[in-house]
Amino acid sequence: MVITKSKKAIAQFKIRENLAIGAKVTLRKVRMYEFLDRLITIALPRVRDFRGLSEKSFDGRGNYALGVKEHLIFPEIDYDKIDRIWGLDIVICTSARTDDEARALIDAFNFPFRRSTRKAA
């Protein structure tokens, strides 16, 4: 785990320079697959008014990013022990070279993408 710190002070947000403001974790192998399975099958369906993930969140190099507003969507978290609600930024880095290759890989994991209802002409 890597603690992220602020680069500069911002008075409006009461942030000082070098203040710990977040954490980054890299998951690989078994932990990564367990996290993806929990995210797809348990956590995302618990999001209020969830209609699917955007297909526009690919970065052009085969990676996919999504944001979660509440960490409470994971059932392992005890609601009574929480003092604040935290958000998550989840980035899925793949070895794919293009967005189409990454989309095919992520589709194989059954990611709940929001399908467009437009008819092809």
Side-chain angles (χ1 to χ4, degrees), residues 25-36 38:
V25 178
T26 300
L27 301 177
R28 290 190 172 91
K29 299 183 182 181
V30 175
R31 284 186 174 176
M32 174 190 64
Y33 290 116
E34 287 177 0
F35 176 77
L36 281 178
R38 283 192 190 123

Side-chain angles (χ1 to χ4, degrees), residues 6 8 15 25-26 29 58 63 80 83 87 98 105 111 120:
S6 61
K8 60 183 181 178
I15 294 177
V25 178
T26 300
K29 299 183 182 181
F58 288 95
N63 303 314
D80 297 329
D83 58 342
T98 64
L105 173 67
F111 259 66

Side-chain angles (χ1 to χ4, degrees), residues 21-105:
I21 57 172
K24 294 191 291 188
V25 178
T26 300
L27 301 177
R28 290 190 172 91
K29 299 183 182 181
V30 175
R31 284 186 174 176
M32 174 190 64
Y33 290 116
E34 287 177 0
F35 176 77
L36 281 178
D37 184 44
R38 283 192 190 123
L39 178 71
I40 296 166
T41 59
I42 299 170
L44 288 178
R46 292 178 63 164
V47 174
R48 185 182 313 156
D49 297 331
F50 181 70
R51 292 188 179 97
L53 298 172
S54 173
E55 290 187 352
K56 297 178 181 179
S57 295
F58 288 95
D59 67 350
R61 296 177 182 238
N63 303 314
Y64 184 76
L66 67 116
V68 178
K69 291 184 180 179
E70 296 181 354
H71 70 288
L72 296 174
I73 62 173
F74 292 96
E76 297 90 2
I77 298 174
D78 187 10
Y79 188 79
D80 297 329
K81 294 181 180 177
I82 301 300
D83 58 342
R84 308 177 94 165
I85 295 176
W86 298 97
L88 302 170
D89 289 328
I90 300 169
V91 179
I92 299 166
C93 298
T94 67
S95 59
R97 301 268 186 213
T98 64
D99 288 347
D100 293 331
E101 292 174 5
R103 186 174 290 112
L105 173 67

